[in-house]
Amino acid sequence: MRNNYIFKMKDLARFSGEQTDSGSLNQSSQVSAQVRLITISDEECDQRIDNFLLRICKGVPKSHIYRVLRSGEVRVNKGRIDQTYRLKEGDVVRIPPIRVAEKAEQSVPGAEFKILLEDAHLLVIDKPAGVAVHGGSGISYGVIEQLRASRPEAKFLELVHRLDRETSGILLLAKKRSALTNLHEQIREGELDKRYLTLVRGDWQNARQHIKLPLFKYNTPDGERRVRVQADGMASHTVFNLIRRYGDFALLEAELKTGRTHQIRVHLASSGFAIAGDDKYGDFALNRTLQKADGKRIALKRMFLHAYQITFRHPDSGKPVTLKAPLPPECEQFLKSLERPAS
């Protein structure tokens, strides 16, 4: 497999060297000699031209995409547009001749996951813990790349939302752009209801508790993304319901009222209730203890956070849909090992 990089025609020599005497290009590059004309379908409309180009030109640096846009070489219906232009059904997009510099690409192994719902508009899976939803930050590929590799016939497949790599549970993907747009609108309007199950250590008191703490995203010196409570952060709201106590632990249901990065993890940690197994915001001494079995209690080798339920309106029919994913076996077995025998 090879990965294509697109450059402006006037940058040919700088990016790829000169042609040989015979007019052919060296082995590391080639020219796409024709202008591409793409007619926008109903599934591709309503997106910005820059996002459209980034999607169809996989792997191309953003700087090159925006350079071509600024130059006016990309036209819509024969006219110049800027990067904020939103495509309409029937628009004809002109993409200029391109220099293609070839680069070896790591192949992505196709994979399938437990399917909770699939139709012409949606794919909903139960993601296992330890699997990233997409590549990046040192990860070559994730769920979305693996699903695309296993479904080469799929014309459109995009993540509706994300889950942390360490979190298991329900993950929505759209098979049509109209479905993606519809579900994103439901998320913006607060109509999509996501619930998680999590285990914390501590004396949790309230049957139902609201936590509203502003969250601020930042990067550590080594480039790792983190979140902390900070006064000028994004407004964030989680509701926690007590499900059951297990000795020093409490099983909670978390309702997301906003969808910030690491929201549940940081809200709990900042309130003094570390999620069992959380290696970013948790109690590290507790995590080390839990990784080893102790008497009746078995070892816990993952973060205990699972997206177990989601409710939304189907993007095509408008009918309400509620899906559930039971706790993974390792979490169920850990809870059972915490149960105290009846006296």
Side-chain angles (χ1 to χ4, degrees):
M1 296 289 293
R2 294 189 179 270
N3 188 26
N4 295 334
Y5 280 61
I6 298 179
F7 304 106
K8 290 172 59 180
M9 287 300 291
K10 67 181 182 181
D11 292 328
L12 295 185
R14 179 158 65 92
F15 283 119
S16 301
E18 303 295 334
Q19 288 186 321
T20 64
D21 291 341
S22 64
S24 63
L25 297 169
N26 62 34
Q27 293 182 348
S28 64
S29 59
Q30 62 183 29
V31 168
S32 173
Q34 296 181 342
V35 168
R36 295 173 63 191
L37 296 176
I38 299 176
T39 302
I40 300 302
S41 69
D42 61 341
E43 290 302 326
E44 295 168 321
C45 64
D46 295 328
Q47 62 181 312
R48 283 175 37 151
I49 183 67
D50 54 350
N51 292 330
F52 173 73
L53 292 174
L54 287 167
R55 183 174 64 83
I56 66 171
C57 303
K58 296 291 187 184
V60 178
K62 287 185 179 181
S63 60
H64 299 317
I65 294 294
Y66 288 110
R67 187 183 302 161
V68 174
L69 278 168
R70 287 194 300 269
S71 74
E73 293 176 81
V74 175
R75 302 288 181 104
V76 176
N77 303 328
K78 300 183 179 180
R80 294 186 64 149
I81 41 82
D82 65 21
Q83 65 192 46
T84 64
Y85 177 81
R86 288 195 174 272
L87 295 166
K88 301 177 180 65
E89 184 179 357
D91 277 352
V92 178
V93 180
R94 175 194 184 275
I95 301 177
I98 55 175
R99 165 73 68 169
V100 179
E102 298 180 328
K103 177 182 177 181
E105 179 185 89
Q106 182 178 1
S107 61
V108 176
E112 286 290 343
F113 302 89
K114 181 180 179 182
I115 295 174
L116 302 176
L117 170 68
E118 183 171 15
D119 58 25
H121 303 269
L122 294 173
L123 172 62
V124 188
I125 67 168
D126 186 354
K127 183 189 85 69
V131 179
V133 296
H134 59 78
S137 300
I139 300 170
S140 299
Y141 53 83
V143 169
I144 185 65
E145 290 88 2
Q146 289 185 288
L147 284 171
R148 286 170 179 162
S150 67
R151 297 163 175 242
E153 75 288 349
K155 295 182 178 179
F156 186 91
L157 190 61
E158 296 286 348
L159 293 164
V160 173
H161 63 103
R162 288 166 170 76
L163 290 177
D164 293 343
R165 183 178 184 178
E166 302 89 349
T167 303
S168 57
I170 299 173
L171 182 66
L172 269 66
L173 300 99
K175 296 172 68 175
K176 291 178 177 289
R177 178 158 296 280
S178 57
L180 182 67
T181 302
N182 180 281
L183 288 164
H184 280 172
E185 179 66 21
Q186 292 186 50
I187 292 173
R188 283 193 296 272
E189 296 300 321
E191 299 175 6
L192 190 146
D193 182 80
K194 290 192 289 185
R195 309 259 176 136
Y196 295 70
L197 290 174
T198 188
L199 188 73
V200 300
R201 186 173 72 167
D203 186 17
W204 188 276
Q205 291 293 315
N206 299 325
R208 183 172 174 85
Q209 180 171 329
H210 293 255
I211 295 181
K212 297 179 180 180
L213 295 171
L215 300 179
F216 176 80
K217 287 195 292 187
Y218 66 99
N219 289 328
T220 63
D222 60 0
E224 186 177 4
R225 182 180 61 175
R226 291 292 182 95
V227 177
R228 63 175 175 247
V229 173
Q230 188 167 302
D232 61 348
M234 299 289 288
S236 307
H237 181 192
T238 315
V239 182
F240 293 96
N241 302 300
L242 177 62
I243 303 298
R244 181 179 173 183
R245 292 187 177 89
Y246 290 84
D248 296 333
F249 294 88
L251 180 66
L252 307 176
E253 177 194 64
E255 302 176 33
L256 285 180
K257 299 302 183 182
T258 55
R260 313 301 181 201
T261 301
H262 298 169
Q263 178 174 315
I264 296 172
R265 301 165 71 174
V266 178
H267 273 178
L268 285 171
S270 299
S271 302
F273 294 90
I275 295 179
D278 187 344
D279 64 359
K280 281 189 173 66
Y281 307 101
D283 182 330
F284 306 133
L286 172 64
N287 292 345
R288 287 193 296 270
T289 299
L290 294 181
Q291 287 175 358
K292 299 178 182 178
D294 182 14
K296 182 174 177 291
R297 178 184 60 75
I298 66 173
L300 179 68
K301 298 184 180 294
R302 57 159 289 178
M303 180 173 67
F304 201 120
L305 183 59
H306 176 71
Y308 88 100
Q309 180 176 296
I310 195 164
T311 301
F312 56 92
R313 285 183 293 102
H314 192 280
D316 182 53
S317 68
K319 294 180 179 179
V321 176
T322 296
L323 299 171
K324 295 185 178 182
L327 273 174
E330 66 271 18
C331 293
E332 282 282 9
Q333 291 164 10
F334 184 76
L335 289 179
K336 289 181 180 179
S337 75
L338 295 177
E339 294 177 350
R340 295 177 178 176
S343 56

